[in-house]
């Protein structure tokens, strides 16, 4: 057996694995920075950070969720729904994702679909009275 070949292949594999792990840490850093920027009202910059986080880790659920909320704020409802759908696809037990999707659907006038998402969020543990009160506030501002 050619041991030098085995060592080279092993070194390549270890380097690739470490690089991948570094990308995941970078993804979290971009997510955190995006959250900070969003809180400061710097939505365009925040969006770029969320995009980068997702580019580095396509399964970073919170990045989709937060980007969806950002899109909702910007009234880019189709993009918000797409991100909430991804969030739910990765974590179908995340009650908040159903509720935020309900909010966006309510803003679009899709009240029946929004109610279905509220019902699912309640099944997963959120308080119906609080959710319905928030939905009614959204309806009054449409």
């Amino acid at each position: 057996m050619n041991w030098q070949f085995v060592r080279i292949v092993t070194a390549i594999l270890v380097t690739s694995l470490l690089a991948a792990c570094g990308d995941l840490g970078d993804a979290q850093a971009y997510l955190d920075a995006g959250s900070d920027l969003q809180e400061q009202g710097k939505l365009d910059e925040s969006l770029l950070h969320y995009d980068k986080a997702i580019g580095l880790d396509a399964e970073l659920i919170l990045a989709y969720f937060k980007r969806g909320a950002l899109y909702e704020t910007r009234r880019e409802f189709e993009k918000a729904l797409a991100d909430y759908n991804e969030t739910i696809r990765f974590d179908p037990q995340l009650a908040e994702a159903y509720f935020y999707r309900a909010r966006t659907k309510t803003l679009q006038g899709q009240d029946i679909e929004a109610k279905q998402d509220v019902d699912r969020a309640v099944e997963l543990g959120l308080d119906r009275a609080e959710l319905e009160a928030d939905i009614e506030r959204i309806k009054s501002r449409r």
Side-chain angles (χ1 to χ4, degrees):
M1 176 171 264
N2 184 344
W3 290 107
Q4 184 169 353
F5 175 76
V6 171
R7 276 186 247 137
I8 291 171
V9 170
T10 302
I12 291 170
L13 290 173
V14 168
T15 303
S16 297
L17 181 59
L18 290 174
C21 291
D23 285 348
L24 296 179
D26 290 346
Q28 185 64 48
Y30 277 104
L31 172 62
D32 295 342
S35 296
D36 292 343
L37 290 164
Q38 188 171 359
E39 287 177 15
Q40 297 169 24
K42 298 177 180 177
L43 302 185
D44 292 336
E45 292 174 59
S46 178
L47 180 60
L48 293 173
H49 282 74
Y50 292 146
D51 289 345
K52 184 68 173 175
I54 291 168
L56 292 170
D57 182 359
E59 295 182 12
L60 190 57
I61 297 166
L62 191 54
Y64 289 102
F65 184 76
K66 288 186 172 240
R67 189 174 71 177
L70 187 150
Y71 281 136
E72 180 184 315
T73 300
R74 292 168 56 141
R75 303 189 69 78
E76 295 181 46
F77 300 132
E78 293 305 318
K79 290 179 179 179
L81 289 175
D83 277 350
Y84 294 142
N85 290 338
E86 278 299 292
T87 303
I88 291 166
R89 184 174 73 83
F90 285 119
D91 186 357
Q93 302 302 309
L94 185 61
E96 291 80 4
Y98 290 95
F99 176 60
Y100 272 73
R101 189 170 72 177
R103 290 169 44 100
T104 301
K105 289 178 178 179
T106 299
L107 287 164
Q108 290 184 302
Q110 299 175 10
D111 295 338
I112 294 170
E113 295 88 347
K115 183 183 180 324
Q116 293 169 344
D117 279 344
V118 167
D119 290 345
R120 182 66 180 134
V122 169
E123 288 173 11
L124 293 170
L126 296 183
D127 181 71
R128 181 176 296 280
E130 289 180 26
L131 302 186
E132 289 178 348
D134 197 27
I135 294 296
E136 288 306 314
R137 278 191 295 277
I138 291 169
K139 285 181 182 178
S140 72
R141 293 182 292 180
R142 293 196 277 216

